[in-house]
Structures are given as structure tokens and as C-alpha cells.
Amino acid sequence: MKFDASTFSFLLALVGSTSGWVAWWINKRQQIIQKAVKDAEKALNEKRDFNHLVNNQLDISKNIAFGFDQLEHQLDDIDNELRELKAYLIGNQKHS
């Protein structure tokens, strides 16, 4: 078998370009995967932050409602005490 330099050169160039293309393709695929992971993490973080804000707003609303309930109970107690004082004062005026 005779050594043919042009065929050998062609095969060497083909192997080199194919391996270069495979290396480029693997690198490109890795970049795409890394970008997808980064985008997914960003979306997850944004969703988590939004859920924290929603939960904080719900907690604030519950606490405000609880505060108003407590205030309403206190006002009812004050109203009852004022009625008792009024009844006491009216009763004392009748006896005087």
C-alpha cells in the first residue's frame, strides 16, 4: 500500500475540524444549560420573594384586624363603664 500525503492530510483535517466542532458543540450546550439553570433560579427566587411579600401582607392584615378587634373590645368596656357611671350618677341625683 502506497502512502498518499493528500489523503492523509484530508483525513487529518477532517478529524481536526470534527473534533473542533464537537468541542464547540459541547461548550455551546453547556452554556445553554447554565443559562437555563440561571434563569430557573432567578424565576424561583422571584417567586419566593413574591410569596414572602404576599405572606407579609396577609400577616399585616391579620394583625390590623386583631388590633381593631381589641380596640373594639376596649371601647365596649369603656362604654359599659360609662353607662354604669351614668346610672350611678342618675341614682345619686334622685336621692339628693
Side-chain angles (χ1 to χ4, degrees):
M1 188 166 188
K2 190 175 176 188
F3 177 74
D4 188 8
S6 62
T7 304
F8 181 73
S9 298
F10 174 75
L11 289 176
L12 189 60
L14 182 65
V15 168
S17 63
T18 303
S19 63
W21 179 82
V22 168
W24 172 85
W25 182 78
I26 290 172
N27 185 32
K28 191 69 171 171
R29 184 171 174 239
Q30 192 123 13
Q31 288 174 355
I32 291 170
I33 290 171
Q34 287 174 351
K35 185 179 182 313
V37 168
K38 183 180 174 185
D39 291 344
E41 286 176 347
K42 182 180 177 191
L44 184 64
N45 289 337
E46 289 172 354
K47 184 176 181 180
R48 187 193 69 227
D49 291 344
F50 180 76
N51 287 337
H52 281 302
L53 291 174
V54 168
N55 290 334
N56 287 344
Q57 289 296 322
L58 291 173
D59 288 343
I60 289 170
S61 297
K62 288 176 189 174
N63 289 332
I64 289 173
F66 179 76
F68 277 119
D69 286 343
Q70 292 298 316
L71 183 62
E72 187 175 339
H73 288 300
Q74 288 177 357
L75 290 175
D76 288 341
D77 291 342
I78 292 171
D79 188 40
N80 290 337
E81 288 179 19
L82 287 175
R83 284 185 190 160
E84 290 174 9
L85 284 173
K86 185 177 177 182
Y88 176 76
L89 289 174
I90 290 173
N92 280 342
Q93 283 181 350
K94 289 183 180 178
H95 292 119
S96 322

